[in-house]
Amino acid sequence: MSLIELKQILRKNADREQAKILKWFFKTAPGDYGEGDKFLGIKVPVLRKISKNFINLNLDELQLLLSSEIHEERLAALMILVLKFQKCSYDKERKHIFDFYLKNTKNINNWDLVDLSAPKIVGEYLLDKDKLILENLASSKILWEKRISILSTFQFIKANQFETSLNIAEKLLNDDHDLIHKAVGWMLREIGKRNLSVEENFLNQHYKKMPRTMLRYAIEKFPEKKRQTYLKNKI
């Protein structure tokens, strides 16, 4: 199936009222993080089902989709890219998709685009490799590159590899954006699900200077008494 057919199907599934909701939900007003983004109004399960039929699209075609001003077209491109990555038989093919992804970080420019793709491509590729690129992304001035850096480590956490996540979390402690606070807190919580002592050791060193949202996300699953101990003693 062709790129033209994909765009036609997406438009057939467009929902004007849902598009209005998504524009609000993804903060597209002037000055917000998603300023100017445009939506067709297609929910993720529907988009995922459509995307599965277009895994044959090549990277040049996916580049056109990723450069689109339409949010769902960029998201579809990333869903297809994840599927292509998962089907790769050789590391050289995976590296090609990994490099393509990192060249397109300017187009992976909302939190859902990052969250649905970064762990499954960047994180999966780097699982058994040097992870310095993630620490470089964590130092970026671009919001989405910083979110890619921490969300990619979700794949490491699932494999009980915590060091990179903790290093990046420490780098991002003083970040000023709520979307980074939430992402770091989320990854710390995921570490705690697998090894609570590792998470608590990190928290005990840093919780007093953590942004409150980051701390709340990190301790969300703690017993209430323990949650309150952290929250009340935060400076």
Side-chain angles (χ1 to χ4, degrees):
M1 299 180 77
S2 70
L3 179 58
I4 292 175
E5 288 174 298
L6 173 56
K7 290 189 174 187
Q8 289 172 342
I9 291 172
L10 292 179
R11 278 152 185 77
K12 285 180 182 178
N13 282 271
D15 183 325
R16 189 172 298 179
E17 291 305 312
Q18 180 67 15
K20 290 179 182 178
I21 294 171
L22 292 174
K23 284 182 67 176
W24 169 82
F25 186 71
F26 287 105
K27 309 299 182 188
T28 63
D32 284 340
Y33 61 75
E35 180 178 354
D37 208 353
K38 297 182 179 180
F39 290 82
L40 294 173
I42 306 173
K43 293 182 178 180
V44 168
V46 175
L47 192 60
R48 197 185 300 278
K49 186 175 180 180
I50 293 169
S51 299
K52 287 179 179 179
N53 296 315
F54 290 89
I55 193 171
N56 62 300
L57 295 183
N58 61 44
L59 294 188
D60 288 338
E61 292 169 315
L62 293 181
Q63 182 65 69
L64 292 174
L65 276 182
L66 271 175
S67 302
S68 172
E69 63 181 3
I70 304 297
H71 188 97
E72 289 91 344
E73 291 191 352
R74 301 198 305 282
L75 185 52
L78 291 167
M79 287 178 172
I80 295 166
L81 200 63
V82 167
L83 292 172
K84 291 176 81 70
F85 182 89
Q86 291 171 340
K87 290 195 70 168
C88 287
S89 301
Y90 301 103
D91 197 60
K92 185 176 180 180
E93 296 172 316
R94 287 155 55 97
K95 175 70 159 57
H96 192 45
I97 291 176
F98 169 81
D99 289 342
F100 176 82
Y101 186 93
L102 290 183
K103 288 176 183 177
N104 274 283
T105 54
K106 67 179 181 181
N107 298 316
I108 306 168
N109 56 356
N110 215 310
W111 60 263
D112 62 323
L113 304 179
V114 172
D115 297 4
L116 287 168
S117 62
K120 295 178 179 178
I121 295 177
V122 179
E124 183 63 29
Y125 180 73
L126 294 176
L127 191 58
D128 59 353
K129 297 177 178 64
D130 185 278
K131 299 168 177 61
L132 180 60
I133 182 64
L134 295 184
E135 300 207 23
N136 293 339
L137 289 173
S139 299
S140 172
K141 294 181 180 180
I142 299 171
L143 168 63
W144 308 116
E145 291 189 345
K146 288 185 285 188
R147 190 164 174 113
I148 287 170
S149 75
I150 188 63
L151 258 295
S152 294
T153 72
F154 198 179
Q155 218 69 0
F156 313 154
I157 293 169
K158 291 176 183 177
N160 292 314
Q161 298 178 19
F162 307 132
E163 183 179 2
T164 304
S165 303
L166 296 172
N167 289 342
I168 292 175
E170 189 169 10
K171 274 181 174 287
L172 295 174
L173 280 175
N174 297 316
D175 195 86
D176 60 2
H177 204 289
D178 186 61
L179 286 177
I180 299 301
H181 303 168
K182 292 176 179 178
V184 172
W186 174 17
M187 292 302 100
L188 291 173
R189 185 173 74 237
E190 291 297 331
I191 290 173
K193 287 180 182 179
R194 293 157 177 85
N195 191 320
L196 185 58
S197 64
V198 171
E199 181 189 7
E200 288 188 321
N201 182 58
F202 184 89
L203 290 175
N204 291 338
Q205 293 179 60
H206 301 294
Y207 81 95
K208 289 187 177 181
K209 59 182 179 180
M210 269 185 182
R212 199 167 186 86
T213 296
M214 186 185 295
L215 178 60
R216 284 188 176 278
Y217 269 63
I219 64 176
E220 184 179 27
K221 301 298 182 181
F222 283 16
E224 185 60 22
K225 185 176 180 180
K226 185 185 285 189
R227 285 184 69 255
Q228 291 304 321
T229 298
Y230 278 105
L231 292 170
K232 289 177 180 178
N233 285 288
K234 176 175 165 53
I235 296 174

